[in-house]
Amino acid sequence: MLIKNPESVLPSEITDERTFHERRRLMRAALIAAGAGLAGCSSETGAETNAAAPPKARELVTLKTSPFSTSEAMTSFHDATHYNNYYEFGTGKDDPVANAQDFKARPWQVQIDGECEAPGTLDLDSLIQPHAMEERIYRLRCVEGWSMVIPWVGFGLGDLLKRFKPTSKARYVAFQTLRDVKQMPGQRYRVLDWPYREGLRIDEAMNPLSLLAVGMYGRWLPNQNGAPLRLVVPWKYGFKSIKAIVRISFSERQPATSWNQSAPSEYGFYSNVNPDVSHPRWSQATERRIASGASLFNSRIKTLPFNGYGEQVASLYTGMDLAKNF
Ligand SMILES: Nc1nc2c(c(=O)[nH]1)N[C@H]1C(S)=C(S)[C@@H](COP(=O)(O)O)O[C@H]1N2
Ligand SMILES: [Mo]
């Protein structure tokens, strides 16, 4: 986002989709054979994720595939884990995979506070345990002009938030990433005001599309993708999908967000994907899809309003001027 030409670096575009589909087929078959009736997951394997390794079979068990899933060609596991934005580990697209491998995503605690009746600090297991894991194949479009299609594993953000009983004053939800300069070498540099912060209006957070992800491609999240817990808000630019969340706060006022603070004329609070509102330094009308079958020459496609999720979310913004509230 600080770079001059957002399209300067290309990912490998190597695909291991066949492996992925085969693994999913086996996973489903195994579940049916076991007569498993409950979706769930086991977290013991969380610490041993290795981004370079191909996905292991049945690391995360998901029975539900979301009706919100797209059937578009998926990004390969390799590309989704080797072309990342995660400034805590460096500003280059290949920095996160190189620098995040020793990051300790377990044990992990999340503090929930602010305008709610049941605040608390929970460890990861008690945070995710009540929720049935669901697979959702979502597009995610980066503000820099590329997009990916990723099979996330997680559960509805709203389902989690309700557990803490937000009060009537809870008009917004704020999120914070871990601040730990020893583990996150990028935090030595003042490219952003750390910790990374994001926020949503409460109705956006409660919208069924908003996902808290703990995994992708049927396995726990690799560190570079935001282990152990990240947001995925598919109708907004990628930077809203905050990684390595340690704090969730309900608030009456619109919270400060990192990219808006760093460049308010370039990144607004809403950041809804909008082909009609250009970034001051480049158009947002098209995007480069990083997915199997997409080549350098055919991968540029039109960006859709709300990243194609308008049917689900456009009504959240009726009456608002989205050019002003960008
Ligand atoms: N904490 C934190 N979260 C972050 C970022 C970051 O730098 N730090 N980058 C964001 C941006 S700009 C994008 S496009 C997505 C990328 O997610 P991915 O690497 O899983 O594709 O993560 C978002 N979440
Ligand atoms: Mo992004």
Side-chain angles (χ1 to χ4, degrees), residues 154-187:
F155 50 92
L157 172 65
D159 294 337
L160 177 89
L161 296 182
K162 279 177 210 147
R163 286 168 54 193
F164 305 100
K165 302 191 165 68
T167 69
S168 57
K169 283 185 175 172
R171 295 182 57 218
Y172 295 90
V173 195
F175 302 86
Q176 268 182 34
T177 295
L178 179 69
R179 178 183 200 155
D180 182 352
V181 70
K182 283 201 197 116
Q183 289 207 77
M184 295 174 141
Q187 290 180 341

Side-chain angles (χ1 to χ4, degrees), residues 214-282:
V214 297
M216 55 195 260
Y217 299 84
R219 58 178 292 176
W220 292 100
L221 280 175
N223 289 339
Q224 64 270 35
N225 294 89
L229 190 70
R230 68 165 294 164
L231 211 57
V232 186
V233 192
W235 72 94
K236 293 175 181 282
Y237 290 117
F239 64 88
K240 299 298 279 187
S241 294
I242 183 172
K243 297 175 173 180
I245 297 167
V246 293
R247 187 174 177 192
I248 302 176
S249 312
F250 297 97
S251 65
E252 191 168 10
R253 299 242 182 115
Q254 183 177 300
T257 60
S258 293
W259 281 104
N260 178 249
Q261 270 185 317
S262 94
S265 62
E266 303 191 9
Y267 311 107
F269 175 80
Y270 285 96
S271 302
N272 292 320
V273 173
N274 192 341
D276 300 329
V277 175
S278 295
H279 183 280
R281 293 183 281 136
W282 59 80

Side-chain angles (χ1 to χ4, degrees), residues 1 85 141-144 146 237-239:
M1 287 147 97
N85 265 338
R141 190 200 188 280
C142 180
V143 72
E144 289 170 61
W146 82 83
Y237 290 117
F239 64 88

